[in-house]
Amino acid sequence: MDKDQRRRVAVGLASAHGGVVCRRDLRAAGVHRNDVRTECGNGRWWSWGLHTVAVLEVPMEPVGHLWRAVWESGPGAVLDGPAALVAHGMTHFTPSTVDVSLPRSSTVRDVEGVTTHQRRRLERWIRAGVPRLAPEWATIHAAQWASTDRQAALLVCLPVQQRLVQPQRLLDTWLGVRRSPRRALLGQIIPDVCDGAHSLGELDFGGWCRRHGLPPPVRQSLRSGPSGRVYLDAEWDGLVVEIDGGHHLLGLNPTDDALRANEVALGSTRVLRIPLLGLRLEPDRFMHQVARGLGLPVLTCA
């Protein structure tokens, strides 16, 4: 194969993989080891591991790093955790490492910037594009491996909000997980995010009020608005608290919620909005705001 043919083959393959190509694919296309050595020696290509070659004529894209992580880590490797979610299209989060899972029987190689996880069995994974775990499993693993509880909550919220994973599929998958290093936290957060419309009844807001020495609110009080009847989550004289579950962040719900809150606030009543996850992660701080809104002493929950 002459130089021009090699160039066309390599550019075509690398363009489909974010600027990189696997040596196996080059061989299958008729580009052999000596050809690769020649191109690397001439500075047109760059050897980036045992299996990965960067074609410098093709701009390197972030997905090229993900392909390299899979090719270099070992047989059967697939993206997992946040890296898999990014490959599925998640935005507004940059992983600090590329998580890759492999079968326990695989020989694992250390790759800079990659964290490997050997698993007894790989859950459902996607073959189209970069091999990666299905979004429901990638979400659960990302939350389990997160550096903080706050980051774990974020990594549950983003895939659901960005509609990368169906809430019911995520919830059903979580209910089948037997062991988790964050079982207590995720056992609250995942149902909250996936079934926010019903979780308010499960979350005893009155219980939070009692723990902080606040009087019980009126629940689901009825108001009349321009668009008809409006039910408020919790109300005292002069103060309303609205609890925003995961469903409040989807579709047109933020617009509807803002219109409803504004109608109440334009009267004589103040409105506090509390994300349901906020009560999971920062309960004292939010309940202190409620106490201040009521003009009552701020008590710390024991």
Side-chain angles (χ1 to χ4, degrees), residues 226-227 230 232 242 244 248-249 251-266 271 273:
S227 301
V230 174
L232 305 176
E242 291 282 74
D244 294 338
H248 285 267
L249 302 175
L252 297 177
N253 287 340
T255 299
D256 296 336
D257 292 339
L259 288 169
R260 181 174 70 169
N262 290 348
E263 284 295 334
V264 176
L266 287 171
V271 179
R273 306 201 71 90

Side-chain angles (χ1 to χ4, degrees), residues 283-298:
D284 286 346
R285 294 177 66 184
F286 279 109
M287 295 309 297
H288 288 178
Q289 290 181 337
V290 175
R292 288 163 53 198
L294 293 171
L296 297 174
V298 176

Side-chain angles (χ1 to χ4, degrees), residues 167-168 171 190-200 202 246-247 276:
Q168 191 60 50
L171 182 59
I190 291 176
D192 287 345
V193 172
C194 294
D195 195 24
H198 300 94
S199 61
L200 182 59
E202 301 167 9
H247 68 296
L276 191 52

Side-chain angles (χ1 to χ4, degrees), residues 23-41:
R23 293 174 187 266
R24 178 187 61 244
D25 294 336
L26 287 172
R27 287 196 301 272
V31 180
H32 300 296
R33 181 180 304 174
N34 289 338
D35 299 323
V36 174
R37 185 179 298 114
T38 297
E39 295 296 331
C40 290

Side-chain angles (χ1 to χ4, degrees), residues 68-176:
R68 172 181 176 263
V70 169
W71 291 335
E72 296 295 327
S73 295
V78 298
L79 297 177
D80 201 345
L85 294 174
V86 168
H88 281 294
M90 185 176 73
T91 58
H92 305 301
F93 185 86
T94 302
S96 59
T97 185
V98 177
D99 286 290
V100 170
S101 284
L102 306 91
R104 187 166 292 178
S105 59
S106 293
T107 300
V108 179
R109 290 184 292 271
D110 290 333
V111 181
E112 184 180 0
V114 176
T115 300
T116 55
H117 309 266
Q118 285 189 281
R119 308 183 64 79
R120 183 176 304 170
R121 68 177 184 86
L122 292 180
E123 294 87 356
R124 189 172 76 92
W125 58 283
I126 309 298
R127 298 175 184 273
V130 189
R132 61 201 185 278
L133 231 56
E136 63 271 17
W137 283 109
T139 299
I140 290 171
H141 293 167
Q144 291 178 155
W145 299 335
S147 57
T148 65
D149 287 351
R150 184 181 293 274
Q151 187 182 89
L154 175 66
L155 288 168
V156 173
C157 288
L158 287 179
V160 174
Q161 292 168 5
Q162 296 175 15
R163 304 193 179 193
L164 304 178
V165 60
Q166 297 177 5
Q168 191 60 50
R169 182 183 287 275
L170 176 58
L171 182 59
D172 290 343
T173 301
W174 167 250
L175 293 176

